[in-house]
Amino acid sequence: MYGRFVAFQSRHAILASTITGGAVMSLGDTAVQLAGSGTWDYQRNGVVSAYNGGMSPFFYYWWKHLDGIWPGTGVAAVVRKTFMNQLMVAPFNSALFLTWSTAMESLIKGDCVGADGSASAQMIWEKVAGKAKAEVPSLVMSSCCFWLPANAANFMFMPLHLRVVFMSSCSVVWGAYITYVVHR
């Protein structure tokens, strides 16, 4: 099975990254939901899984770009790639995930409805802004504690074609945490 996945990944890197990223986030979110309330919200799961699946191709190319700047798995190259990834991606990705999930779930569930019964962009924006102000700083700090070691292992030990799989596996844990934060 591993051999088939590697062959598929090498032929269809973006498709494999998208599917893997979405599926793994789905697992993490499902675990949080079932452990918390004992029920599963498929709409919430779809929103967070779509985000991770959609972002996975970006990460594939981003890591490839970092490898081009600092090739190899030596300590200096790994440290540079790890810190550049954390500096450039963590704040953006945390804020974007929180914005996407809050806005999309508000639209789907009708949490922010105006007087005319339609979705209110202003109410959604206020909800997103309040959530971002309250949660993004702690998400960025938490991501440093989690993703710095994970990225170091990724850049040091994983070939490019397995990075999305490895990081998506790490994302099961991170996905569980970040969906907990967004939905508390």
Side-chain angles (χ1 to χ4, degrees):
M1 189 157 171
Y2 170 77
R4 284 185 170 179
F5 177 80
V6 170
F8 181 77
Q9 174 73 28
S10 65
R11 284 191 317 273
H12 309 285
I14 300 309
L15 180 59
S17 296
T18 300
I19 292 168
T20 303
V24 168
M25 179 59 94
S26 179
L27 288 172
D29 181 60
T30 296
V32 165
Q33 289 188 51
L34 295 178
S37 67
T39 60
W40 185 64
D41 179 344
Y42 71 92
Q43 291 174 324
R44 166 185 156 169
N45 193 266
V47 167
V48 298
S49 299
Y51 176 84
N52 207 54
M55 288 300 291
S56 292
F58 163 79
F59 285 109
Y60 176 83
Y61 285 115
W62 171 246
W63 296 326
K64 188 175 183 177
H65 174 71
L66 291 178
D67 279 340
I69 297 170
W70 297 296
T73 58
V75 173
V78 168
V79 167
R80 287 182 181 111
K81 288 185 272 193
T82 299
F83 280 105
M84 180 58 74
N85 189 69
Q86 192 66 30
L87 178 69
M88 298 300 291
V89 174
F92 167 76
N93 194 42
S94 294
L96 191 57
F97 178 82
L98 189 136
T99 299
W100 166 267
S101 18
T102 303
M104 292 306 294
E105 288 178 39
S106 292
L107 281 171
I108 290 169
K109 295 179 183 207
D111 293 345
C112 297
V113 178
D116 64 354
S118 65
S120 166
Q122 180 66 30
M123 290 174 71
I124 291 171
W125 173 249
E126 288 171 4
K127 186 174 182 179
V128 167
K131 194 87 157 154
K133 185 178 180 180
E135 302 293 353
V136 168
S138 66
L139 278 176
V140 171
M141 293 305 296
S142 298
S143 75
C144 287
C145 296
F146 183 81
W147 287 114
L148 283 172
N151 276 302
N154 188 37
F155 291 126
M156 190 168 285
F157 303 117
M158 293 294 130
L160 181 61
H161 69 278
L162 294 179
R163 287 190 180 158
V164 168
V165 174
F166 173 75
M167 293 304 276
S168 290
S169 298
C170 294
S171 289
V172 170
V173 175
W174 181 252
Y177 174 72
I178 197 167
T179 60
Y180 165 77
V181 169
V182 169
H183 296 97
R184 61 178 161 188

